[in-house]
Amino acid sequence: MSAALETLRENVRTWLAGNAPKDWREAATHEAFVTGQRQWFGKLVAAGYAIPHWPAGWQGGGRSLAEQKVIYEELARADAPRLLLSFVSTYHVFATLQECGNDAQRARYLPAILEGETWCQGFSEPGAGSDLAAIKTRGERRGDVYVVNGQKLWSTMAQYADKCLLLVRTSSEGAKQAGLTYLLMDMKAPGVTVRPIHQIQGDEEFAEIFLDNVEVPLAERVGEEGAGWAVAQATLSSERGLTLMELGYRMRGSMGLLTDLIRKSGKAGDAGVLRELGRLSAQVDATCALADRFLHNRITGAEQVGDASIVKNSYSRTLRAWADLGVRVGGLLEQYRKPITFGDLNTGNWMADFMNSYAWTIAGGSEEVQRNIIAERMLEMPREPKSWVA
């Protein structure tokens, strides 16, 4: 590692030692969690460590791939809170506006994100989760606004969001993908109702969004009318690949939770458990390497269709294996219901982590959808039949 990277690592480590919250896992309420997330994001922005993947000119942006790795590694090593509340804002919104937005949208929304404006994503619907092209929420153009009616589902942290990346159907003519339009919606607009979804592990990370004659100005459309499918690919590419670099390093940093558990459970001499730990460790390293390669290809313009899907599937499978090993090694004691830990995936609350890990095989496109993308668009295999006949 170069002297410059060593200096950066030392600076980040020193700063985290004095600033990273220590008691965030004990946040007893969602309100405490949200307050803590906003304070932590503000600190990271001020220090220049919140958006290393943004271009130069933004505070802390313009970092090289090696520098980003150092920052993510140190955040994981310090067990600092993951920025769940700002996740969509700093990754998905940025990637979408950077690739497909106009100058006015970038000038209006990107600085607001750094000041704490929170975004959610309104893509999935009842009956149209993994099959994104099947969405039915309608956007009808009336004068200088789109009037939107419908329902969105599985929207992360929507109950706390100020704005929403919204995909709507503006036409039913031709191919399903051709009738979609991409909008930027104000979550405080009349007609927007949000209901949190209570999940199996006790959290309320997701929410439903009901839209009743919601007006979205034409100026808040990203790309042309009917071009929403292409714009959504920029958002999904970020969700399936770019964000997983940070998550991969956090999982690697959490391997210590597993080794501690193995030691405390008296299974440090169990050859079978150690074999599984070794296999998992290699799996985690491979996932981090895939995420590194994805980001490198993206930066250099060498990204191919399917690259992000490979990273997504590798991460979701490894996360499930990580939590599964923890539950089995921890035995009955680790299966007792405990208070949940908001905003993280590798908490060491093994049963909660195990149940939460299944969400990642669906979020951002199911594992089966990713396999189809890899098979059909990367390997050029025959397309999946539309229906099976016995």
Side-chain angles (χ1 to χ4, degrees):
M1 181 175 288
S2 70
L5 287 178
E6 288 290 358
T7 300
L8 173 63
R9 184 181 297 281
E10 188 59 34
N11 290 341
V12 177
R13 188 173 296 184
T14 301
W15 184 85
L16 286 169
N19 291 279
K22 306 297 182 189
D23 56 352
W24 64 278
R25 291 190 187 280
E26 282 71 47
T29 65
H30 278 94
E31 288 71 24
F33 165 72
V34 170
T35 299
Q37 283 275 302
R38 288 185 169 139
Q39 291 173 344
W40 177 229
F41 179 66
K43 280 188 173 184
L44 284 170
V45 170
Y49 301 137
I51 50 165
H53 56 292
W54 286 28
W58 297 97
Q59 191 164 3
R63 299 282 192 181
S64 67
L65 173 59
E67 289 173 328
Q68 291 182 50
K69 287 172 62 175
V70 165
I71 292 171
Y72 292 138
E73 285 172 350
E74 288 305 311
L75 286 167
R77 193 195 67 80
D79 193 29
R82 188 165 70 92
L83 292 173
L84 182 62
L85 194 65
S86 311
F87 201 62
V88 171
S89 311
T90 56
Y91 284 106
H92 303 40
V93 178
F94 169 75
T96 305
L97 295 185
Q98 189 72 358
E99 291 190 29
C100 307
N102 57 43
D103 289 341
Q105 290 166 344
R106 284 188 285 271
R108 179 176 176 186
Y109 290 121
L110 296 184
I113 287 173
L114 299 186
E115 293 170 2
E117 190 168 78
T118 304
W119 288 69
C120 64
Q121 185 172 309
F123 280 16
S124 296
E125 297 181 6
S130 294
D131 185 8
L132 190 60
I135 68 167
K136 295 180 178 176
T137 293
R138 297 286 307 183
E140 183 183 350
R141 187 166 173 172
R142 297 180 192 170
D144 59 355
V145 300
Y146 286 97
V147 178
V148 181
N149 285 282
Q151 178 187 354
K152 296 295 178 178
L153 191 62
W154 308 123
S155 183
T156 304
M157 297 273 139
Q159 61 269 47
Y160 306 111
D162 303 299
K163 299 288 190 301
C164 178
L165 298 172
L166 186 69
L167 202 57
V168 302
R169 178 162 299 285
T170 48
S171 172
S172 300
E173 301 295 325
K176 292 189 296 185
Q177 291 86 347
L180 303 181
T181 297
Y182 202 111
L183 303 175
L184 308 175
M185 183 182 73
D186 187 345
M187 290 293 284
K188 306 297 188 296
V192 178
T193 302
V194 182
R195 295 180 188 166
I197 299 171
H198 195 70
Q199 298 162 231
I200 189 172
Q201 84 278 31
D203 204 348
E204 292 181 349
E205 181 182 344
F206 304 107
E208 296 174 282
I209 306 174
F210 298 89
L211 306 164
D212 182 14
N213 287 321
V214 179
E215 294 188 355
V216 180
L218 290 184
E220 306 296 8
R221 186 185 68 210
V222 182
E224 297 300 319
E225 183 171 303
W229 179 259
V231 180
Q233 301 315 304
T235 310
L236 292 173
S237 181
S238 168
E239 184 174 12
R240 292 170 183 167
L242 199 59
T243 60
L244 295 179
M245 181 178 180
E246 177 186 357
L247 294 177
Y249 282 115
R250 284 189 171 272
M251 188 158 55
R252 177 189 276 170
S254 300
M255 287 297 286
L257 296 174
L258 263 181
T259 55
D260 287 346
L261 180 65
I262 291 171
R263 194 178 303 111
K264 289 175 183 174
S265 64
K267 295 180 179 175
D270 187 319
V273 170
L274 295 181
R275 193 179 304 115
E276 281 198 69
L277 181 65
R279 190 182 300 123
L280 178 64
S281 180
Q283 218 175 323
V284 172
D285 285 345
T287 299
C288 291
L290 286 170
D292 285 356
R293 188 180 67 176
F294 171 80
L295 184 57
H296 172 77
N297 288 346
R298 192 175 181 83
I299 290 172
T300 59
E303 179 185 351
Q304 297 181 36
V305 174
D307 283 352
S309 298
I310 292 175
V311 182
K312 166 75 166 52
N313 272 8
S314 179
Y315 176 77
S316 59
R317 286 181 163 226
T318 307
L319 176 66
R320 200 161 67 188
W322 183 90
D324 175 75
L325 183 58
V327 169
R328 286 188 287 111
V329 170
L332 187 61
L333 187 63
E334 292 299 333
Q335 296 180 32
Y336 286 141
R337 185 178 179 85
K338 301 174 187 176
I340 60 169
T341 303
F342 302 110
D344 203 358
L345 298 166
N346 308 102
T347 67
N349 185 347
W350 296 104
M351 184 50 73
D353 287 345
F354 178 72
M355 291 187 287
N356 208 16
S357 70
Y358 278 83
W360 264 92
T361 62
I362 303 170
S366 70
E367 194 169 278
E368 290 77 8
V369 167
Q370 306 314 311
R371 287 180 190 165
N372 277 352
I373 292 173
I374 295 166
E376 296 171 3
R377 304 181 66 183
M378 180 175 264
L379 302 178
E380 299 182 351
M381 295 175 71
R383 292 185 65 82
E384 182 184 35
K386 292 298 180 186
S387 61
W388 294 94
V389 179

